[in-house]
Amino acid sequence: MQTASFDTPDAEIAALRALLAERDAVLAERDAELRNAGFEIEKLKVQLAALRRDKYGHSSEKLAAEIGQLEMLIGDAEEDAAQAAARAEARAKGQPRRPAIRKPLPEHLPRETILHEPVFACRCGCTDPKRLTRLGEDVTEVLEKIPARLKVIRHVRPRYACRACEAVLQAPAPDLPVEKGRPGPGLLAHVLVSKYLDGLPLYRLSAILAREGVEIERQTLADWVGRGAWWLSRLAEAI
């Protein structure tokens, strides 16, 4: 919005009232969109809860597919609501906003502090931080994700020979989950969790690893999964 100069106070007051009315209309539109989206999301959640109750009494692939579809619809609706809120907030920029009520971030997470110092230039011309008095600070905590990284672990086993008896000494090869294979225990666990807990198909996991510069074919991942399942079979039987 552009600001203009006014010749009389009445004209300026009228213009300010028009701006306030326009912003009130934008806020009302945003509230209506969010309210309608909220009703739709709640409706889908009720349907999802009903399907989940039915699933306990029936074993049906159709029910599982309907539950998955509803979860996707709820996710899409929540994303659309967030996008509408962001669009309306951008149009009503400068309008006072109610403070958001958020749960505090978990205390067990590690924290990294980034200090944002102001430009030390006062109206009096002072540029010496030592002459300033610190009144306090505002802290904003942001939840961040550090992407998982692949790394290569080199198992080095030096060989030693005894000059007296000519014996050769060397540590035994480490036990690996896949004999003569490349995956370490952590990578194999990641593949198993991604497939069985997160429902990620192996061809998608292969594409994700390829983006990190590691080409692992789907057939290789399937072999890892089969061997990992064999390792966990006794644990599954015990459970």
Side-chain angles (χ1 to χ4, degrees), residues 101-112 139-145:
I101 300 176
R102 300 185 180 95
K103 294 181 180 179
L105 296 177
E107 292 294 335
H108 69 275
L109 295 177
R111 277 162 167 75
E112 175 185 350
V139 178
T140 301
E141 290 196 337
V142 178
L143 189 62
E144 186 58 281
K145 170 69 175 179

Side-chain angles (χ1 to χ4, degrees), residues 156-229:
V156 181
R157 298 184 295 127
R159 290 191 300 272
Y160 299 93
C162 178
R163 295 180 181 180
C165 64
E166 298 183 353
V168 176
L169 306 176
Q170 187 180 32
D175 291 330
L176 298 175
V178 178
E179 187 177 358
K180 297 181 181 179
R182 290 292 183 88
L187 177 57
L188 184 59
H190 171 69
V191 172
L192 292 172
V193 170
S194 298
K195 175 176 173 59
Y196 291 110
L197 189 61
D198 300 334
L200 188 65
L202 293 181
Y203 73 91
R204 291 185 181 176
L205 183 57
S206 176
I208 292 173
L209 294 172
R211 288 203 302 267
E212 300 186 40
V214 180
E215 300 287 344
I216 302 178
E217 298 294 334
R218 181 191 57 80
Q219 295 87 342
T220 302
L221 293 175
D223 180 70
W224 292 0
V225 169
R227 295 177 184 274

Side-chain angles (χ1 to χ4, degrees), residues 13 114 129:
I13 292 174
I114 300 177

